[in-house]
Amino acid sequence: MDHSLFAEKYRPKKFSDIINQKHAVERLKSFVKEKNIPHLLFSGPAGCGKTTAALTIAQELFGTSWKQNTLETNASDERGIDTIRHKVKDFARTKSFGEIPYKIVILDEADALTSEAQQALRRTMETFTNTARFILICNWSSKIIEPIQSRVAVFRFKPLVDTDIKKYVERIVDGEKLKITEDAISAIVYISEGDLRKVANILQASATLGEKITEEIVYNVTSQAKPDDVKDMLELAISGKFVEARQKLQEMILRQGLSGIDVIKEIHKQIFYLDTLNDEQKINLIEKTGEYEFRLSEGSNDLIQLEALLAQFIVAIKK
């Protein structure tokens, strides 16, 4: 029996398998073809293919010896200056295996590196250019210091659209011979918010709960509030039926076991789809939602705060 994670099993191994990101892939292919990789910076949202692209460069460049010639480290775990001074520096200064004269250092979540560590990294990049090329991966390039940004080729990875997500779902469904409903696929696309890693994990968890993956199963394994449930609750509130709206909320929190943060995130999304509200009312409710989300993050009681937020919807309509 294969116990591997879907996220790793279906991670692309070559450039042609990378979903979308054509603007980046074509340029990276030419670098590999010339066997001359500059220092690189990949920025973009989570799960859109940044780490995959970096690993693909290493595999296409070095072939079977790519693991010996590649150091992959996660800067959010090892974010201090000592990591750069010792682990990265020691790897970068040694000669590579094979005909390619340099190794590759992949620094994932590089925007988590401290300022001192980034300064040390800049010096290391300059000193060992002949023996190592660096690929920095981050969500926010603005958190990378300017001296490093000026020394790298920057690639901005785009958020993936719904058709890209569906393509990846179909790849896993076909590979694992899973049965899945269209509603379940739509739910996965909605919940994943463009993160392919999340897609793979949702599918793997859902596949263990039944012969056929349904929308119900997807929302159960992700502990996410169903959009229709939240929308119904909000519509009850703005129509003045506070007691019924409160019952709906209690069902989600107490019976379905959802967290207040999950519910409030879905409330935020659904406000935009409430046709009975004008723009001014929506703006007011978005502001209130942000305030109550902050209260929850500070440790307030989920049920009390969400009931108070529902009351704000009634106040907004009366205004």
Side-chain angles (χ1 to χ4, degrees):
M1 181 182 264
D2 187 0
H3 293 290
S4 57
L5 289 171
F6 286 2
E8 293 305 319
K9 186 176 179 181
Y10 292 95
R11 184 193 287 275
K13 302 293 190 294
K14 50 186 186 286
F15 286 123
S16 58
D17 290 337
I18 294 177
I19 293 175
N20 206 324
Q21 314 302 350
K22 293 182 178 65
H23 65 292
V25 168
E26 291 307 313
R27 288 168 63 196
L28 295 175
K29 271 185 185 176
S30 63
F31 287 150
V32 171
K33 188 177 180 181
E34 296 293 327
K35 296 185 178 177
N36 187 17
I37 310 292
H39 298 310
L40 301 170
L41 174 64
F42 296 164
S43 71
C48 68
K50 303 186 300 295
T51 304
T52 292
L55 293 173
T56 301
I57 288 171
Q59 291 173 46
E60 297 255 356
L61 199 61
F62 298 111
T64 54
S65 65
W66 75 273
K67 287 188 178 178
Q68 293 97 313
N69 287 309
T70 306
L71 173 67
E72 185 185 3
T73 181
N74 192 308
S76 64
D77 295 329
E78 304 168 284
R79 61 195 300 267
I81 195 168
D82 287 343
T83 300
I84 304 300
R85 280 179 174 166
H86 301 298
K87 186 176 181 178
V88 172
K89 197 172 179 181
D90 289 346
F91 180 83
R93 76 203 320 171
T94 56
K95 197 174 183 302
S96 65
F97 297 93
E99 60 177 37
I100 307 296
Y102 51 83
K103 294 179 172 182
I104 285 182
V105 179
I106 300 172
L107 285 173
D108 214 338
E109 299 190 46
D111 45 359
L113 285 170
T114 63
S115 180
E116 293 82 3
Q118 289 193 41
Q119 292 291 353
L121 175 61
R122 176 185 63 82
R123 291 192 293 274
T124 304
M125 289 169 71
E126 286 177 339
T127 306
F128 300 107
T129 301
N130 292 330
T131 55
R133 302 293 159 84
F134 288 78
I135 302 177
L136 279 59
I137 300 169
C138 64
N139 295 127
W140 313 105
S141 60
S142 58
K143 293 185 180 180
I144 304 297
I145 61 172
E146 192 59 41
I148 287 180
Q149 289 196 47
S150 66
R151 287 167 173 79
V152 298
V154 179
F155 288 80
R156 303 196 188 281
F157 282 64
K158 299 174 183 176
L160 298 173
V161 297
D162 291 357
T163 51
D164 297 328
I165 306 296
K166 285 182 179 177
K167 193 185 296 183
Y168 188 61
V169 170
E170 287 162 6
R171 184 183 292 180
I172 297 176
V173 167
D174 292 342
E176 297 297 319
K177 296 178 172 53
L178 302 175
K179 293 178 182 177
I180 188 168
T181 66
E182 282 299 320
D183 285 346
I185 293 175
S186 298
I188 291 171
V189 170
Y190 182 80
I191 293 167
S192 66
E193 297 180 325
D195 187 337
L196 294 186
R197 192 162 38 244
K198 191 183 284 187
V199 169
N201 291 335
I202 291 170
L203 276 170
Q204 185 148 28
S206 301
T208 62
L209 294 183
E211 289 185 7
K212 193 169 193 177
I213 300 172
T214 63
E215 182 186 34
E216 190 75 27
I217 287 173
V218 169
Y219 280 108
N220 284 342
V221 300
T222 56
S223 297
Q224 291 277 335
K226 288 183 186 176
D228 288 345
D229 286 350
V230 173
K231 190 176 181 183
D232 289 346
M233 176 185 73
L234 297 182
E235 285 176 344
L236 286 168
I238 60 181
S239 63
K241 299 175 181 176
F242 179 75
V243 174
E244 292 176 43
R246 180 175 176 270
Q247 287 173 346
K248 195 88 176 170
L249 173 64
Q250 288 185 329
E251 184 183 326
M252 286 190 282
I253 297 287
L254 302 176
R255 293 185 187 174
Q256 295 179 32
L258 301 177
S259 74
I261 290 291
D262 289 332
V263 175
I264 209 164
K265 282 180 180 176
E266 191 56 44
I267 287 174
H268 173 260
K269 291 178 185 176
Q270 291 302 321
I271 287 172
F272 297 99
Y273 300 112
L274 294 171
D275 297 331
T276 50
L277 299 179
N278 60 41
D279 285 352
E280 188 179 345
Q281 290 169 326
K282 287 178 182 179
I283 290 168
N284 181 41
L285 287 170
I286 289 294
E287 184 182 1
K288 292 294 182 185
T289 303
E291 179 188 331
Y292 283 85
E293 191 271 342
F294 175 74
R295 292 183 187 183
L296 289 179
S297 70
E298 291 292 297
S300 297
N301 181 280
D302 288 7
L303 198 54
I304 292 173
Q305 293 302 321
L306 287 170
E307 284 182 10
L309 179 57
L310 278 183
Q312 294 293 336
F313 277 76
I314 296 176
V315 172
I317 288 298
K318 286 183 177 178
K319 283 183 180 177

